[in-house]
Amino acid sequence: MAHGVPQTLEQVHSLAFRALIAQGFSAEQGHAIADTITAAERDRCESHGLFRLPFYIKAASNPDADKTAVPTLTVSDSSVVRVDGARGFCPLALSIGLDPLTEKANERGIAALAINNTYNIAALWPEVEALAERGLVAFAFTASNAFVAPAGGTQPLYGTNPMAFAWPRRDQPPMVFDQASSASARGEIQLHLRDGKPIPVGWAIDREGQPTTDPAAALDGAQLTFGGYKGAALALMVELLAGALIGDLFSYESTEHDTLGTGAPFGGEFLMALSPAHFQQGGSATHAFDRAELLFAKILEQDGTRLPSSRRFSARAETLSQGVIVNETLFNSINDYIG
Ligand code: NDP
């Protein structure tokens, strides 16, 4: 079993940033990616932390990818803000789009952000959490690559298609959930493969369509949605929102685009933000927030419950002071990128 290397969060950021710069990413792209990787390490979301860095570097080897892309922002009279990621990576495009989305949502009550032309291999909770920290209710959706079989089928068609939702809370961090529409994120299967562990039944089928617990056979076959046809309907919805609606690729088209087989999804992300005050008589969000707290308290009255995101916030409270332990093999391979 690999040993761990203790790192502060500043060291995690510096390690990721230096590796990306050494591999030809611009400072702006590198900084935005290092921010999202560090946030994942901070919240102990290992599959989107430093573990993801080699995937960014591999994605950048796609002949179409631009490690120095400068995204462009379009703000029109409508409620839709657009960012063209210019074939770069999604974190920088997001950092440019969140402020104008916030402004539009505060002004109109409801607004959307369409991000196009980006490589997106990150978790979605950072963006919805950031919007909820600004008092907005937020949704985010992105398609990925053809990894998941449709209900009843055996061939990969949908992406793992995550959806994230955040609800603001007064005097405490927002309630956030962020989940793939597949039974597991692909990164979780990759982590099981790395660690030589079987995956749970129900996550995937092999190339012949048979259930498998072998992570290699799962990656070679097709992942399954959670909840059978109900998860498949959500995966379909994500394809339509982040693909058809905003004029970007479906997951199977992203796979076709990935001519080198890097596994990196290319396409769009769709975000929507709602200002609670606009939905209340009298124009104050207080009632909506109080009502939500009532429900949260009722949930937490029951033993065995917790709110989504409470695990991340507890992890954050620890790692901000204690740092994290990075898998030694991974740490060394990232240092190899720096040379
Ligand atoms: P998980 O199944 O680990 O968690 C899903 C959500 O459920 C989290 O918000 C989690 O909160 C919450 N949760 C877990 N257990 C409980 C519980 N007992 N009670 C209440 N809430 C709970 O996530 P996935 O494996 O589905 O997805 C992992 C990540 O992968 C996501 O961040 C997603 O965005 C990302 N992803 C990205 C893709 C891309 O192409 N960019 C593709 C697919 C996935 P908590 O965090 O507090 O545990």
Side-chain angles (χ1 to χ4, degrees):
M1 194 167 152
H3 294 98
V5 181
Q7 293 280 284
T8 64
L9 294 174
E10 290 72 24
Q11 286 171 322
V12 166
H13 193 281
S14 165
L15 183 66
F17 181 71
R18 285 179 295 125
L20 291 162
I21 296 300
Q23 295 297 313
F25 285 75
S26 66
E28 290 76 14
Q29 289 282 344
H31 212 279
I33 295 169
D35 282 352
T36 191
I37 283 176
T38 306
E41 287 288 340
R42 180 199 62 200
D43 288 7
R44 296 214 175 100
C45 296
E46 194 187 352
S47 61
H48 289 88
L50 287 168
F51 176 72
R52 256 316 95 190
L53 190 79
F55 293 82
Y56 280 96
I57 291 168
K58 205 170 166 195
S61 67
N62 192 307
D64 179 59
D66 186 352
K67 295 181 267 196
T68 63
V70 179
T72 52
L73 170 70
T74 306
V75 181
S76 68
D77 283 345
S78 86
S79 298
V80 180
V81 174
R82 303 198 76 100
V83 177
D84 182 339
R87 293 173 288 104
F89 291 78
C90 201
L92 183 59
L94 275 165
S95 73
I96 288 165
L98 289 190
D99 281 351
L101 172 62
T102 304
E103 264 174 52
K104 282 270 189 216
N106 281 331
E107 184 189 303
R108 301 185 177 213
I110 178 162
L113 169 62
I115 293 184
N116 294 106
N117 274 325
T118 61
Y119 288 87
N120 190 343
I121 39 187
L124 304 186
W125 54 260
E127 45 266 38
V128 290
E129 186 180 314
L131 291 165
E133 292 284 8
R134 302 166 184 200
L136 299 171
V137 176
F139 301 80
F141 307 89
T142 189
S144 65
N145 274 358
F147 296 134
V148 177
T154 57
Q155 302 305 308
L157 177 70
Y158 297 143
T160 43
N161 293 6
M163 59 204 81
F165 173 79
W167 178 273
R169 302 181 74 188
R170 282 193 302 261
D171 308 322
Q172 53 188 320
M175 190 292 294
V176 182
F177 73 73
D178 177 15
Q179 59 194 35
S181 42
S182 47
S184 79
R186 196 162 186 83
E188 285 301 323
I189 302 181
Q190 288 157 341
L191 279 171
H192 279 72
L193 180 67
R194 181 192 76 181
D195 298 339
K197 292 183 188 160
I199 58 167
V201 176
W203 279 17
I205 49 180
D206 64 19
R207 209 177 244 270
E208 278 72 49
Q210 297 304 313
T212 184
T213 58
D214 174 357
L219 292 170
D220 189 42
Q223 289 178 246
L224 297 173
T225 54
F226 73 81
Y229 62 87
K230 296 183 184 181
L234 293 174
L236 173 59
M237 177 190 74
V238 174
E239 297 282 340
L240 295 173
L241 292 176
L245 180 72
I246 65 169
D248 221 308
L249 301 187
F250 294 126
S251 296
Y252 79 87
E253 293 169 326
S254 169
T255 295
E256 287 164 5
H257 169 91
D258 184 14
T259 49
L260 294 183
T262 64
F266 178 71
E269 181 169 333
F270 172 72
L271 294 98
M272 196 163 58
L274 314 179
S275 164
H278 285 257
F279 290 80
Q280 301 295 314
Q281 284 183 351
S284 160
T286 307
H287 185 59
F289 292 145
D290 288 348
R291 298 270 305 139
E293 291 306 321
L294 198 64
L295 180 62
F296 296 152
K298 284 277 180 202
I299 294 167
L300 296 173
E301 271 173 14
Q302 297 194 22
D303 285 344
T305 63
R306 70 168 173 90
L307 293 183
S309 66
S310 63
R311 180 204 60 79
R312 281 194 305 105
F313 294 128
S314 303
R316 189 179 302 183
E318 286 175 14
T319 61
L320 284 172
S321 58
Q322 296 167 17
V324 294
I325 307 291
V326 179
N327 174 286
E328 189 177 21
T329 311
L330 175 64
F331 182 80
N332 291 337
S333 67
I334 294 176
N335 273 299
D336 287 345
Y337 290 125
I338 300 171

